[in-house]
């Protein structure tokens, strides 16, 4: 590995098709960062993390392949970036254990993600598994394993990256300065793409709430037509409040400043209706998705076997690098392989 390069790393769970939130929050950055020759990029499918919430073995494997296909449709080149499955690198689980021994349980119990998931499960009468509690530790292993310097993720993952930073500092403090680089987030706040039908972020769980990367233009328009806006704006003649409207958030993410101003003014004066706004947003989204759809079609012609090959090759490459780093960490902690 070339040490002068910036190691960029990010992962996506193998849960269903990718959506516009994944693209705007994460994958578009993966693509831009991969084009810079001073970066060495690692992008992986976090299928071990997927096990914390979902266990259908067949479906996970289908999702994994489709995500790699989508990565490439979005513009990632497996010749330039290392694309792999988390489960191809068993040393990550080993590193996760080493890091778990440096992690206070209270910190894990207080993570917003854990509390939210635990509460949601308990509403259904279910119990949180230990994997959910230690989720951020495995994520820290993913990040520290290849000595990542930069981790492009959406806003919802920032707290997890912060924990990886703390663990890197703690490890270095106890076992030697400079062993793990301290990973950084991308500059800026990180974005959060809202869902279309409810509060909260766009996610994979509710079909009509998310624009999938493989939705057709008609599907995009249909989903936007039924998207919620300012709930107080009942009639076309009612002025609306853009600050409480999800569609206005999409303008912020996708429109030019003049168009944002057009939407704000038109909404607050009732000069334009919600449909007018939605048509513009659907158009922006379709402009992003058109080249991705076309590229996916081209790739699909080659069948799925070449995707398996990419995942296999990427796994070998990532494992070689990560295994050497984990070996060093074990030795520093006094638990080498004898
Ligand atoms: P999901 O939350 O849909 O299951 P993941 O958890 O696998 O997706 O997230 C993969 C990447 O996409 C992460 O970097 C995450 O921060 C980002 N991401 C997911 N949903 C959104 C969203 N609505 N807005 C911005 N980024 C998002
Ligand atoms: N937890 C991340 C998510 O749900 C996925 C992930 C796993 C990840 N390991 C990672 C992201 C390491 C960045 C770096 O989106």
């Amino acid at each position: 590995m070339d040490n002068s390069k910036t190691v960029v790393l990010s992962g996506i769970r193998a849960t269903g098709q990718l959506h516009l939130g994944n693209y705007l929050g994460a994958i578009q950055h993966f693509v831009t960062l991969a084009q810079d020759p001073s970066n060495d990029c690692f992008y992986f499918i976090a299928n071990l993390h997927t096990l914390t919430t979902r266990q259908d073995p067949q479906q996970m494997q289908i999702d994994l392949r489709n995500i790699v296909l989508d990565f490439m449709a979005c513009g990632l080149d497996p010749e330039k970036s290392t694309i792999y499955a988390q489960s191809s690198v068993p040393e990550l689980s080993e590193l996760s254990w080493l890091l778990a021994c440096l992690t206070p349980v209270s910190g894990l119990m207080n993570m917003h993600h854990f509390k939210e998931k635990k509460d949601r499960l308990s509403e259904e009468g279910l119990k949180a598994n230990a994997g959910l509690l230690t989720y951020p530790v495995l994520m820290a292993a993913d990040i520290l394993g290849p000595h990542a310097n930069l981790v492009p993720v959406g806003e919802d993952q920032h707290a997890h990256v912060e924990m990886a930073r703390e663990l890197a500092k703690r490890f270095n403090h106890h076992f030697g300065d400079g062993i793990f680089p301290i990973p950084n987030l991308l500059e800026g706040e990180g974005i959060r793409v809202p869902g279309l039908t409810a509060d909260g972020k766009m996610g994979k769980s509710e079909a009509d709430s998310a624009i999938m990367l493989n939705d057709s233009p008609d599907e995009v328009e249909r989903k936007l037509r039924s998207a919620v806006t300012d709930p107080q704006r009942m009639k076309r003649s009612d002025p609306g409040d853009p600050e409480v409207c999800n569609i206005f958030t999409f303008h912020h993410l996708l429109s030019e400043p003049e168009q944002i101003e057009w939407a704000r003014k038109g909404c607050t004066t009732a000069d334009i209706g919600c449909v007018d706004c939605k048509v513009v947003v659907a158009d922006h989204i379709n402009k992003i998705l058109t080249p991705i759809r076309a590229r996916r079609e081209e790739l699909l012609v080659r069948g799925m076997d070449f995707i398996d090959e990419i995942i296999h090759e990427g796994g070998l490459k990532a494992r070689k690098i990560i295994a050497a780093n984990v070996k060093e960490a074990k030795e520093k902690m006094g638990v080498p392989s004898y």
Side-chain angles (χ1 to χ4, degrees):
M1 201 157 111
D2 181 350
N3 285 332
S4 64
K5 290 198 174 190
T6 299
V7 177
V8 176
L9 171 134
S10 196
I12 295 215
R13 290 177 307 144
T15 46
Q17 297 283 327
L18 295 184
H19 53 77
L20 188 71
N22 297 135
Y23 181 77
L24 296 175
I27 298 167
Q28 65 168 345
H29 300 296
F30 298 3
V31 176
T32 312
L33 290 162
Q35 279 157 0
D36 182 340
S38 66
N39 291 331
D40 192 5
C41 298
F42 293 78
Y43 301 125
F44 69 97
I45 317 302
N47 54 351
L48 298 179
H49 278 110
T50 313
L51 288 178
T52 58
T53 49
R54 154 102 160 270
Q55 279 111 12
D56 183 65
Q58 240 76 50
Q59 192 57 45
M60 265 199 316
Q61 294 177 74
I62 294 170
D63 288 344
L64 189 143
R65 287 191 182 91
N66 279 327
I67 292 175
V68 174
L69 182 72
D70 272 344
F71 272 1
M72 291 173 68
C74 289
L76 286 182
D77 176 355
E79 298 286 322
K80 296 206 177 108
S81 304
T82 308
I83 297 176
Y84 59 104
Q86 193 180 31
S87 59
S88 300
V89 188
E91 288 78 8
L92 288 172
S93 303
E94 210 176 356
L95 180 57
S96 178
W97 175 260
L98 303 182
L99 297 173
C101 294
L102 299 174
T103 309
V105 174
S106 56
L108 294 172
M109 305 260 288
N110 285 330
M111 288 298 277
H112 175 69
H113 265 76
F114 175 68
K115 287 203 244 172
E116 202 186 59
K117 289 226 163 92
K118 182 169 71 70
D119 291 349
R120 216 177 309 145
L121 285 166
S122 115
E123 278 165 23
E124 294 169 37
L126 301 168
K127 291 194 173 119
N129 60 58
L132 271 178
L133 182 67
T134 54
Y135 186 110
V137 184
L138 178 57
M139 188 159 157
D142 296 330
I143 295 171
L144 305 188
H147 287 187
N149 305 104
L150 191 61
V151 187
V153 282
E155 185 267 344
D156 61 306
Q157 295 299 316
H158 284 196
H160 286 153
V161 177
E162 185 50 46
M163 183 168 276
R165 285 168 59 82
E166 279 171 27
L167 278 167
K169 287 181 197 163
R170 201 168 301 143
F171 193 101
N172 291 350
H173 174 74
H174 288 296
F175 304 109
D177 268 352
I179 297 173
F180 289 118
I182 312 303
N184 287 310
L185 289 163
L186 282 177
E187 275 177 34
E189 282 190 350
I191 65 159
R192 183 187 182 86
V193 179
L196 295 177
T197 53
D199 288 348
K201 77 173 185 89
M202 184 176 283
K204 292 166 186 141
S205 43
E206 214 197 310
D208 272 359
S209 179
I211 304 275
M212 298 302 170
L213 294 189
N214 63 355
D215 279 348
S216 67
D218 287 352
E219 192 71 355
V220 170
E221 279 163 33
R222 185 190 67 75
K223 285 183 181 175
L224 273 160
R225 237 177 287 127
S226 54
V228 289
T229 53
D230 173 2
Q232 303 294 330
R233 192 173 184 195
M234 309 284 256
K235 296 195 297 296
R236 168 72 175 74
S237 54
D238 292 338
D241 178 1
E243 300 312 322
V244 300
C245 176
N246 276 353
I247 298 300
F248 192 63
T249 309
F250 281 93
H251 272 297
H252 267 301
L253 293 168
L254 304 171
S255 298
E256 295 296 330
E258 310 85 73
Q259 209 163 33
I260 299 176
E261 206 30 49
W262 164 83
R264 181 198 305 283
K265 223 164 150 205
C267 176
T268 48
T269 55
D271 269 356
I272 60 170
C274 295
V275 176
D276 302 311
C277 253
K278 288 174 170 182
V279 167
V280 173
V281 169
D283 199 41
H284 285 312
I285 294 174
N286 275 324
K287 279 209 183 84
I288 295 173
L289 297 188
T290 301
I292 299 177
R293 289 183 195 114
R295 180 116 178 90
R296 185 189 298 99
E297 289 305 313
E298 278 169 36
L299 290 164
L300 274 174
V301 173
R302 297 167 65 181
M304 286 307 254
D305 284 356
F306 85 105
I307 296 281
D308 288 347
E309 238 166 80
I310 288 165
I311 303 170
H312 178 69
E313 289 301 320
L316 293 179
K317 193 169 160 215
R319 187 171 184 193
K320 200 163 165 223
I321 292 162
I322 294 166
N325 293 340
V326 174
K327 180 172 179 281
E328 187 198 5
K330 283 173 66 182
E331 286 164 2
K332 297 279 183 198
M333 283 184 101
V335 287
S337 296
Y338 287 99

